[in-house]
Amino acid sequence: MGPSEHLTYREALAELQAIVQELEDGMVDIDLLVEKVRRASFLCQFLRQKLRTTEEEVQKILQETESLTPEQ
């Protein structure tokens, strides 16, 4: 899978967890190590950005909701 594919948060997290497990178990062939670490780095960046974007969207929705709620 290339970096431009459409990943969900859940898919990216599962893939990252699998890579981490492979690394911890010493199951990664030395010839694939750089590729696995590069992919893990991409997935970390993707997950962080997804969290940031989601947090910003939720905050925006909450602010809009507050502005629509009549003051008591």
Side-chain angles (χ1 to χ4, degrees):
M1 284 192 273
S4 63
E5 79 270 5
H6 299 286
L7 277 176
T8 66
Y9 183 87
R10 185 176 295 221
E11 291 167 340
L13 183 58
E15 185 179 346
L16 179 59
Q17 289 171 329
I19 291 171
V20 169
Q21 189 64 51
E22 288 178 36
L23 293 171
E24 287 177 347
D25 293 345
M27 295 173 49
V28 177
D29 185 84
I30 192 71
D31 295 323
L32 298 176
L33 183 60
V34 171
E35 181 182 324
K36 292 282 185 178
V37 171
R38 186 174 289 128
R39 181 65 178 171
S41 176
F42 165 78
L43 291 167
C44 285
Q45 291 172 6
F46 172 85
L47 291 167
R48 276 195 292 271
Q49 183 58 44
K50 186 76 168 168
L51 285 171
R52 267 190 231 111
T53 302
T54 301
E55 182 179 17
E56 290 168 4
E57 289 177 15
V58 168
Q59 288 298 327
K60 183 179 177 186
I61 292 167
L62 291 175
Q63 288 172 354
E64 290 170 358
T65 302
E66 287 176 2
S67 68
L68 296 175
T69 304
E71 304 253 344
Q72 295 183 11

